[in-house]
Amino acid sequence: ALALSLAPVSIAAKREVKIGAVFPMTGPVATYGQESVNGIKLALKKINQEGKVSINLTVEDNKSEPQESANAVTKLINSDQVDAIIGSVASSNTLAGAPIAQTNKVPLLTPASTNEKVTMTGDYISRTCFTDAFQGVVMAKFAYENLKKRKMAIIIDNSSDYSKGLSKVFKKKFKELGGKLVSDEDFAYIQKDTDFRSLLRKIKRTKPDAIFLPGYYTEVGLILKQARQMGLNMPFLGGDGWDSPTLQKLAGAAVSGNYISSHFAPDDKDPRVQAFVKEYEAAYGQKPGVMAALGYDGILVMANAISNAKSTKRSDIQAAILATKGFVGVTGAITIDGNRNASKSAVVLETTPSGNVFNTKVNP
Ligand code: PHE
C-alpha cells in the first residue's frame, strides 16, 4: 500500500505586526495627517502584497494638538498593544508623545518632525527625515547667497517648537554669513491667530529686504495675503511647514515669489519619484504632496526593518530600524545615523499659485 505522507507545505513565516499611527486628521494642520495616511496606505498595499510582513494599522487623530498626541500614544500602547508607532508631523505633537513611547520601550519613528529635540528623547525615538539644523542652514544660505538678501526680519510661531528651533538655526547662519536682522527680537504670533496686520505694520517700518517665516501653512497663507495687501512685496522664505496644497488656496496670488525648503519635489525628474507620483495619482486622483511622500517612505523603512529584525519583539524591531542604511525612498536615500536622524538632501522650492516648483537640491 502506498503511504501518503502529508508533508507540510513550506511557507516562509509571515510576520504579523500591529503598528499605531498618530497623525493630525483634523485641526489647523489636517492636510499633513490626511496626506501622510494616504501615503502610508499606498505603501501598505505593496508591503502586504509582497508577503514578508503583514502590517495591521491603527490610525489615531491627534487633532493637531500636543495633549491629544500624548493621549493617542498612550492608547495605542495600553489598549491596542502595538509593536511600533509611526508619527507624528508637527514637532510639538511628536515631542508630547515620544516620552511615553520611550518609557514603554515602544519604537516610535516620525516621518516628518524636524526639530532637533525629537530624537534626543531617547533610544526608541528615530526619524526618516532631515532635521532643522540642516534645513535652517539651507535657507540662510539660499537667502544670502542665491537671493543676495542682507537685512531680514524673522516672524515666528511662538506655539511651535519647530518654528522656534528653525528660526534660531537660520538666524545664527545668516549672521555668520554676514547678514543683518532688523531686530534682535523675533516678531511673533501663535497658532490659530488670523489677523497679522499690526505685526506686519511694525515689520514694514523696519524695511527688511526679505522675511523668514518658519510657520505652518494655515497661518502662513493668511500672513502672505495680508502682507501683499499692505504692500510688503519682498520675498518671504519658509521651511517645510508651508508645504501643503492648502497654502495655495489660502494665499492665492500672494503665494508668488517666495521660497521654501522641503523634502520632496513632485516635479523631480527622478524615475522613482515619477513612478510614485503616477501610482499616487491613480489611487487618489491628485498629485502627492510632501507629506504623502514622507509617510510612504516612513512606513516602508519600518516594514523593511521588521522583515530584517531578529524577531517581532519591540527591542528587535528598534534595533533593525536603527540599522537602516541607504534605503532608497521617494524622498531620497535614508540612513539612520548615530543620533537616530536621517541625513538626506533638501530641496528649495519656489511657491507659485499652481504649486511648488523645484529650484535647487542641497546635499547634506
Ligand atoms: N517639519 C515640521 C515639524 O517638525 C513638520 C512638517 C514636515 C510639515 C513636512 C510639513 C512637511 O513640525
Side-chain angles (χ1 to χ4, degrees), residues 138-167:
V138 166
M139 287 317 281
K141 280 190 171 169
F142 188 80
Y144 192 89
E145 291 167 2
N146 297 52
L147 300 179
K148 310 265 185 267
K149 298 303 175 189
R150 296 294 180 261
K151 187 185 167 195
M152 289 186 67
I154 300 184
I155 309 177
I156 64 163
D157 171 352
N158 236 335
S159 46
S160 153
D161 290 292
Y162 157 75
S163 190
K164 289 188 275 190
L166 185 51
S167 72

PDB file of all heavy atoms in Angstrom, residues 138-167:
ATOM      1  N   VAL A 138      20.278  75.566   5.107  1.00  0.00           N
ATOM      2  CA  VAL A 138      19.946  75.597   3.671  1.00  0.00           C
ATOM      3  C   VAL A 138      19.257  76.919   3.320  1.00  0.00           C
ATOM      4  O   VAL A 138      19.612  77.597   2.352  1.00  0.00           O
ATOM      5  CB  VAL A 138      19.024  74.398   3.290  1.00  0.00           C
ATOM      6  CG1 VAL A 138      18.388  74.590   1.917  1.00  0.00           C
ATOM      7  CG2 VAL A 138      19.815  73.094   3.326  1.00  0.00           C
ATOM      8  N   MET A 139      18.295  77.333   4.148  1.00  0.00           N
ATOM      9  CA  MET A 139      17.550  78.544   3.812  1.00  0.00           C
ATOM     10  C   MET A 139      18.340  79.829   4.084  1.00  0.00           C
ATOM     11  O   MET A 139      18.186  80.817   3.364  1.00  0.00           O
ATOM     12  CB  MET A 139      16.197  78.567   4.521  1.00  0.00           C
ATOM     13  CG  MET A 139      15.199  77.593   3.931  1.00  0.00           C
ATOM     14  SD  MET A 139      15.167  77.561   2.101  1.00  0.00           S
ATOM     15  CE  MET A 139      14.185  79.015   1.733  1.00  0.00           C
ATOM     16  N   ALA A 140      19.199  79.822   5.113  1.00  0.00           N
ATOM     17  CA  ALA A 140      20.015  81.007   5.372  1.00  0.00           C
ATOM     18  C   ALA A 140      20.978  81.228   4.201  1.00  0.00           C
ATOM     19  O   ALA A 140      21.170  82.352   3.732  1.00  0.00           O
ATOM     20  CB  ALA A 140      20.786  80.843   6.680  1.00  0.00           C
ATOM     21  N   LYS A 141      21.570  80.137   3.721  1.00  0.00           N
ATOM     22  CA  LYS A 141      22.475  80.249   2.570  1.00  0.00           C
ATOM     23  C   LYS A 141      21.718  80.674   1.324  1.00  0.00           C
ATOM     24  O   LYS A 141      22.222  81.472   0.531  1.00  0.00           O
ATOM     25  CB  LYS A 141      23.138  78.894   2.295  1.00  0.00           C
ATOM     26  CG  LYS A 141      24.295  78.580   3.209  1.00  0.00           C
ATOM     27  CD  LYS A 141      24.979  77.347   2.664  1.00  0.00           C
ATOM     28  CE  LYS A 141      26.289  77.047   3.352  1.00  0.00           C
ATOM     29  NZ  LYS A 141      26.774  75.708   2.957  1.00  0.00           N
ATOM     30  N   PHE A 142      20.546  80.132   1.132  1.00  0.00           N
ATOM     31  CA  PHE A 142      19.759  80.480  -0.047  1.00  0.00           C
ATOM     32  C   PHE A 142      19.423  81.978  -0.016  1.00  0.00           C
ATOM     33  O   PHE A 142      19.531  82.677  -1.031  1.00  0.00           O
ATOM     34  CB  PHE A 142      18.469  79.649  -0.113  1.00  0.00           C
ATOM     35  CG  PHE A 142      17.720  79.828  -1.398  1.00  0.00           C
ATOM     36  CD1 PHE A 142      18.124  79.151  -2.546  1.00  0.00           C
ATOM     37  CD2 PHE A 142      16.635  80.685  -1.476  1.00  0.00           C
ATOM     38  CE1 PHE A 142      17.449  79.329  -3.755  1.00  0.00           C
ATOM     39  CE2 PHE A 142      15.957  80.870  -2.679  1.00  0.00           C
ATOM     40  CZ  PHE A 142      16.369  80.194  -3.820  1.00  0.00           C
ATOM     41  N   ALA A 143      19.067  82.491   1.145  1.00  0.00           N
ATOM     42  CA  ALA A 143      18.726  83.916   1.277  1.00  0.00           C
ATOM     43  C   ALA A 143      19.947  84.787   0.985  1.00  0.00           C
ATOM     44  O   ALA A 143      19.868  85.752   0.231  1.00  0.00           O
ATOM     45  CB  ALA A 143      18.203  84.197   2.683  1.00  0.00           C
ATOM     46  N   TYR A 144      21.076  84.417   1.582  1.00  0.00           N
ATOM     47  CA  TYR A 144      22.271  85.259   1.469  1.00  0.00           C
ATOM     48  C   TYR A 144      22.965  85.098   0.115  1.00  0.00           C
ATOM     49  O   TYR A 144      23.301  86.083  -0.543  1.00  0.00           O
ATOM     50  CB  TYR A 144      23.239  84.936   2.607  1.00  0.00           C
ATOM     51  CG  TYR A 144      24.349  85.958   2.736  1.00  0.00           C
ATOM     52  CD1 TYR A 144      24.178  87.089   3.541  1.00  0.00           C
ATOM     53  CD2 TYR A 144      25.555  85.810   2.050  1.00  0.00           C
ATOM     54  CE1 TYR A 144      25.182  88.040   3.658  1.00  0.00           C
ATOM     55  CE2 TYR A 144      26.564  86.758   2.160  1.00  0.00           C
ATOM     56  CZ  TYR A 144      26.376  87.867   2.962  1.00  0.00           C
ATOM     57  OH  TYR A 144      27.362  88.807   3.064  1.00  0.00           O
ATOM     58  N   GLU A 145      23.162  83.850  -0.287  1.00  0.00           N
ATOM     59  CA  GLU A 145      23.962  83.602  -1.497  1.00  0.00           C
ATOM     60  C   GLU A 145      23.144  83.638  -2.789  1.00  0.00           C
ATOM     61  O   GLU A 145      23.569  84.228  -3.773  1.00  0.00           O
ATOM     62  CB  GLU A 145      24.697  82.258  -1.368  1.00  0.00           C
ATOM     63  CG  GLU A 145      25.797  82.313  -0.301  1.00  0.00           C
ATOM     64  CD  GLU A 145      26.332  80.930   0.088  1.00  0.00           C
ATOM     65  OE1 GLU A 145      25.886  79.920  -0.487  1.00  0.00           O
ATOM     66  OE2 GLU A 145      27.188  80.886   1.000  1.00  0.00           O
ATOM     67  N   ASN A 146      21.993  83.000  -2.799  1.00  0.00           N
ATOM     68  CA  ASN A 146      21.218  82.946  -4.042  1.00  0.00           C
ATOM     69  C   ASN A 146      20.384  84.210  -4.255  1.00  0.00           C
ATOM     70  O   ASN A 146      20.365  84.764  -5.345  1.00  0.00           O
ATOM     71  CB  ASN A 146      20.285  81.727  -4.072  1.00  0.00           C
ATOM     72  CG  ASN A 146      21.047  80.415  -4.040  1.00  0.00           C
ATOM     73  OD1 ASN A 146      21.883  80.208  -3.173  1.00  0.00           O
ATOM     74  ND2 ASN A 146      20.762  79.530  -4.979  1.00  0.00           N
ATOM     75  N   LEU A 147      19.691  84.651  -3.216  1.00  0.00           N
ATOM     76  CA  LEU A 147      18.829  85.828  -3.372  1.00  0.00           C
ATOM     77  C   LEU A 147      19.556  87.130  -3.043  1.00  0.00           C
ATOM     78  O   LEU A 147      19.026  88.206  -3.268  1.00  0.00           O
ATOM     79  CB  LEU A 147      17.572  85.695  -2.509  1.00  0.00           C
ATOM     80  CG  LEU A 147      16.662  84.494  -2.784  1.00  0.00           C
ATOM     81  CD1 LEU A 147      15.469  84.494  -1.814  1.00  0.00           C
ATOM     82  CD2 LEU A 147      16.155  84.474  -4.226  1.00  0.00           C
ATOM     83  N   LYS A 148      20.757  87.013  -2.473  1.00  0.00           N
ATOM     84  CA  LYS A 148      21.578  88.188  -2.107  1.00  0.00           C
ATOM     85  C   LYS A 148      20.878  89.126  -1.115  1.00  0.00           C
ATOM     86  O   LYS A 148      20.986  90.344  -1.216  1.00  0.00           O
ATOM     87  CB  LYS A 148      21.981  88.983  -3.361  1.00  0.00           C
ATOM     88  CG  LYS A 148      22.576  88.123  -4.476  1.00  0.00           C
ATOM     89  CD  LYS A 148      24.099  88.132  -4.399  1.00  0.00           C
ATOM     90  CE  LYS A 148      24.746  87.397  -5.553  1.00  0.00           C
ATOM     91  NZ  LYS A 148      25.040  85.971  -5.250  1.00  0.00           N
ATOM     92  N   LYS A 149      20.159  88.552  -0.171  1.00  0.00           N
ATOM     93  CA  LYS A 149      19.479  89.356   0.838  1.00  0.00           C
ATOM     94  C   LYS A 149      20.437  89.642   1.997  1.00  0.00           C
ATOM     95  O   LYS A 149      21.265  88.813   2.350  1.00  0.00           O
ATOM     96  CB  LYS A 149      18.224  88.638   1.342  1.00  0.00           C
ATOM     97  CG  LYS A 149      17.194  88.390   0.248  1.00  0.00           C
ATOM     98  CD  LYS A 149      16.781  89.681  -0.427  1.00  0.00           C
ATOM     99  CE  LYS A 149      15.845  89.420  -1.589  1.00  0.00           C
ATOM    100  NZ  LYS A 149      15.592  90.609  -2.396  1.00  0.00           N
ATOM    101  N   ARG A 150      20.339  90.845   2.548  1.00  0.00           N
ATOM    102  CA  ARG A 150      21.294  91.272   3.582  1.00  0.00           C
ATOM    103  C   ARG A 150      20.632  91.721   4.878  1.00  0.00           C
ATOM    104  O   ARG A 150      21.274  91.776   5.928  1.00  0.00           O
ATOM    105  CB  ARG A 150      22.153  92.440   3.035  1.00  0.00           C
ATOM    106  CG  ARG A 150      23.037  92.052   1.849  1.00  0.00           C
ATOM    107  CD  ARG A 150      24.108  91.056   2.280  1.00  0.00           C
ATOM    108  NE  ARG A 150      24.975  90.664   1.175  1.00  0.00           N
ATOM    109  CZ  ARG A 150      24.842  89.536   0.473  1.00  0.00           C
ATOM    110  NH1 ARG A 150      23.850  88.688   0.753  1.00  0.00           N
ATOM    111  NH2 ARG A 150      25.685  89.246  -0.499  1.00  0.00           N
ATOM    112  N   LYS A 151      19.354  92.094   4.830  1.00  0.00           N
ATOM    113  CA  LYS A 151      18.692  92.652   6.014  1.00  0.00           C
ATOM    114  C   LYS A 151      17.310  92.024   6.141  1.00  0.00           C
ATOM    115  O   LYS A 151      16.393  92.353   5.408  1.00  0.00           O
ATOM    116  CB  LYS A 151      18.580  94.177   5.809  1.00  0.00           C
ATOM    117  CG  LYS A 151      18.064  94.930   7.000  1.00  0.00           C
ATOM    118  CD  LYS A 151      17.874  96.405   6.654  1.00  0.00           C
ATOM    119  CE  LYS A 151      17.071  97.118   7.707  1.00  0.00           C
ATOM    120  NZ  LYS A 151      16.565  98.419   7.247  1.00  0.00           N
ATOM    121  N   MET A 152      17.210  91.071   7.060  1.00  0.00           N
ATOM    122  CA  MET A 152      15.968  90.303   7.134  1.00  0.00           C
ATOM    123  C   MET A 152      15.210  90.460   8.444  1.00  0.00           C
ATOM    124  O   MET A 152      15.782  90.773   9.482  1.00  0.00           O
ATOM    125  CB  MET A 152      16.264  88.817   6.883  1.00  0.00           C
ATOM    126  CG  MET A 152      16.639  88.553   5.431  1.00  0.00           C
ATOM    127  SD  MET A 152      16.833  86.795   5.050  1.00  0.00           S
ATOM    128  CE  MET A 152      15.151  86.171   5.218  1.00  0.00           C
ATOM    129  N   ALA A 153      13.918  90.236   8.361  1.00  0.00           N
ATOM    130  CA  ALA A 153      13.080  90.152   9.563  1.00  0.00           C
ATOM    131  C   ALA A 153      12.690  88.679   9.739  1.00  0.00           C
ATOM    132  O   ALA A 153      12.640  87.936   8.761  1.00  0.00           O
ATOM    133  CB  ALA A 153      11.830  91.006   9.389  1.00  0.00           C
ATOM    134  N   ILE A 154      12.452  88.284  10.985  1.00  0.00           N
ATOM    135  CA  ILE A 154      12.023  86.905  11.246  1.00  0.00           C
ATOM    136  C   ILE A 154      10.700  86.932  12.009  1.00  0.00           C
ATOM    137  O   ILE A 154      10.552  87.684  12.978  1.00  0.00           O
ATOM    138  CB  ILE A 154      13.082  86.137  12.069  1.00  0.00           C
ATOM    139  CG1 ILE A 154      14.407  86.093  11.293  1.00  0.00           C
ATOM    140  CG2 ILE A 154      12.603  84.728  12.397  1.00  0.00           C
ATOM    141  CD1 ILE A 154      15.505  85.282  11.966  1.00  0.00           C
ATOM    142  N   ILE A 155       9.754  86.144  11.523  1.00  0.00           N
ATOM    143  CA  ILE A 155       8.461  86.025  12.218  1.00  0.00           C
ATOM    144  C   ILE A 155       8.307  84.583  12.682  1.00  0.00           C
ATOM    145  O   ILE A 155       8.372  83.660  11.871  1.00  0.00           O
ATOM    146  CB  ILE A 155       7.270  86.349  11.287  1.00  0.00           C
ATOM    147  CG1 ILE A 155       7.456  87.687  10.574  1.00  0.00           C
ATOM    148  CG2 ILE A 155       5.967  86.331  12.082  1.00  0.00           C
ATOM    149  CD1 ILE A 155       6.331  88.012   9.588  1.00  0.00           C
ATOM    150  N   ILE A 156       8.108  84.381  13.974  1.00  0.00           N
ATOM    151  CA  ILE A 156       7.966  83.004  14.460  1.00  0.00           C
ATOM    152  C   ILE A 156       6.571  82.708  15.021  1.00  0.00           C
ATOM    153  O   ILE A 156       5.842  83.610  15.427  1.00  0.00           O
ATOM    154  CB  ILE A 156       9.016  82.652  15.548  1.00  0.00           C
ATOM    155  CG1 ILE A 156       8.815  83.523  16.793  1.00  0.00           C
ATOM    156  CG2 ILE A 156      10.425  82.795  15.012  1.00  0.00           C
ATOM    157  CD1 ILE A 156       9.522  82.975  18.015  1.00  0.00           C
ATOM    158  N   ASP A 157       6.243  81.431  15.013  1.00  0.00           N
ATOM    159  CA  ASP A 157       5.030  80.926  15.671  1.00  0.00           C
ATOM    160  C   ASP A 157       5.460  80.492  17.066  1.00  0.00           C
ATOM    161  O   ASP A 157       6.117  79.466  17.233  1.00  0.00           O
ATOM    162  CB  ASP A 157       4.484  79.746  14.857  1.00  0.00           C
ATOM    163  CG  ASP A 157       3.345  79.008  15.566  1.00  0.00           C
ATOM    164  OD1 ASP A 157       3.060  79.308  16.746  1.00  0.00           O
ATOM    165  OD2 ASP A 157       2.763  78.110  14.926  1.00  0.00           O
ATOM    166  N   ASN A 158       5.080  81.286  18.051  1.00  0.00           N
ATOM    167  CA  ASN A 158       5.531  81.037  19.421  1.00  0.00           C
ATOM    168  C   ASN A 158       4.929  79.795  20.055  1.00  0.00           C
ATOM    169  O   ASN A 158       5.364  79.373  21.121  1.00  0.00           O
ATOM    170  CB  ASN A 158       5.200  82.257  20.286  1.00  0.00           C
ATOM    171  CG  ASN A 158       6.436  82.794  20.962  1.00  0.00           C
ATOM    172  OD1 ASN A 158       7.404  82.059  21.171  1.00  0.00           O
ATOM    173  ND2 ASN A 158       6.418  84.067  21.309  1.00  0.00           N
ATOM    174  N   SER A 159       3.933  79.183  19.409  1.00  0.00           N
ATOM    175  CA  SER A 159       3.344  77.962  19.977  1.00  0.00           C
ATOM    176  C   SER A 159       3.973  76.708  19.375  1.00  0.00           C
ATOM    177  O   SER A 159       3.543  75.597  19.659  1.00  0.00           O
ATOM    178  CB  SER A 159       1.824  77.957  19.765  1.00  0.00           C
ATOM    179  OG  SER A 159       1.504  78.312  18.440  1.00  0.00           O
ATOM    180  N   SER A 160       5.007  76.895  18.540  1.00  0.00           N
ATOM    181  CA  SER A 160       5.579  75.745  17.828  1.00  0.00           C
ATOM    182  C   SER A 160       7.068  75.558  18.097  1.00  0.00           C
ATOM    183  O   SER A 160       7.877  76.442  17.826  1.00  0.00           O
ATOM    184  CB  SER A 160       5.319  75.954  16.327  1.00  0.00           C
ATOM    185  OG  SER A 160       6.282  75.309  15.536  1.00  0.00           O
ATOM    186  N   ASP A 161       7.433  74.397  18.614  1.00  0.00           N
ATOM    187  CA  ASP A 161       8.859  74.080  18.829  1.00  0.00           C
ATOM    188  C   ASP A 161       9.612  74.111  17.507  1.00  0.00           C
ATOM    189  O   ASP A 161      10.774  74.502  17.448  1.00  0.00           O
ATOM    190  CB  ASP A 161       9.005  72.688  19.456  1.00  0.00           C
ATOM    191  CG  ASP A 161       8.530  72.657  20.888  1.00  0.00           C
ATOM    192  OD1 ASP A 161       9.195  73.281  21.727  1.00  0.00           O
ATOM    193  OD2 ASP A 161       7.486  72.044  21.169  1.00  0.00           O
ATOM    194  N   TYR A 162       8.943  73.650  16.473  1.00  0.00           N
ATOM    195  CA  TYR A 162       9.529  73.652  15.132  1.00  0.00           C
ATOM    196  C   TYR A 162       9.919  75.072  14.723  1.00  0.00           C
ATOM    197  O   TYR A 162      11.058  75.336  14.320  1.00  0.00           O
ATOM    198  CB  TYR A 162       8.495  73.056  14.162  1.00  0.00           C
ATOM    199  CG  TYR A 162       8.646  73.426  12.713  1.00  0.00           C
ATOM    200  CD1 TYR A 162       9.655  72.860  11.942  1.00  0.00           C
ATOM    201  CD2 TYR A 162       7.760  74.321  12.108  1.00  0.00           C
ATOM    202  CE1 TYR A 162       9.775  73.192  10.598  1.00  0.00           C
ATOM    203  CE2 TYR A 162       7.878  74.647  10.774  1.00  0.00           C
ATOM    204  CZ  TYR A 162       8.890  74.083  10.019  1.00  0.00           C
ATOM    205  OH  TYR A 162       9.006  74.407   8.696  1.00  0.00           O
ATOM    206  N   SER A 163       8.975  75.993  14.834  1.00  0.00           N
ATOM    207  CA  SER A 163       9.209  77.364  14.392  1.00  0.00           C
ATOM    208  C   SER A 163      10.317  78.034  15.203  1.00  0.00           C
ATOM    209  O   SER A 163      11.208  78.692  14.657  1.00  0.00           O
ATOM    210  CB  SER A 163       7.904  78.161  14.526  1.00  0.00           C
ATOM    211  OG  SER A 163       8.016  79.402  13.899  1.00  0.00           O
ATOM    212  N   LYS A 164      10.294  77.830  16.514  1.00  0.00           N
ATOM    213  CA  LYS A 164      11.297  78.451  17.378  1.00  0.00           C
ATOM    214  C   LYS A 164      12.688  77.889  17.083  1.00  0.00           C
ATOM    215  O   LYS A 164      13.658  78.632  16.976  1.00  0.00           O
ATOM    216  CB  LYS A 164      10.919  78.264  18.847  1.00  0.00           C
ATOM    217  CG  LYS A 164       9.702  79.111  19.230  1.00  0.00           C
ATOM    218  CD  LYS A 164       9.437  79.090  20.725  1.00  0.00           C
ATOM    219  CE  LYS A 164       8.614  77.889  21.107  1.00  0.00           C
ATOM    220  NZ  LYS A 164       8.138  77.944  22.502  1.00  0.00           N
ATOM    221  N   GLY A 165      12.772  76.579  16.924  1.00  0.00           N
ATOM    222  CA  GLY A 165      14.072  75.941  16.665  1.00  0.00           C
ATOM    223  C   GLY A 165      14.633  76.330  15.307  1.00  0.00           C
ATOM    224  O   GLY A 165      15.825  76.647  15.175  1.00  0.00           O
ATOM    225  N   LEU A 166      13.781  76.322  14.309  1.00  0.00           N
ATOM    226  CA  LEU A 166      14.233  76.618  12.944  1.00  0.00           C
ATOM    227  C   LEU A 166      14.683  78.080  12.819  1.00  0.00           C
ATOM    228  O   LEU A 166      15.676  78.375  12.150  1.00  0.00           O
ATOM    229  CB  LEU A 166      13.105  76.292  11.951  1.00  0.00           C
ATOM    230  CG  LEU A 166      13.395  76.422  10.467  1.00  0.00           C
ATOM    231  CD1 LEU A 166      14.656  75.677  10.065  1.00  0.00           C
ATOM    232  CD2 LEU A 166      12.203  75.916   9.645  1.00  0.00           C
ATOM    233  N   SER A 167      13.982  78.989  13.496  1.00  0.00           N
ATOM    234  CA  SER A 167      14.381  80.400  13.422  1.00  0.00           C
ATOM    235  C   SER A 167      15.769  80.608  14.034  1.00  0.00           C
ATOM    236  O   SER A 167      16.569  81.392  13.537  1.00  0.00           O
ATOM    237  CB  SER A 167      13.344  81.303  14.090  1.00  0.00           C
ATOM    238  OG  SER A 167      13.397  81.161  15.483  1.00  0.00           O
TER     239      SER A 167
END
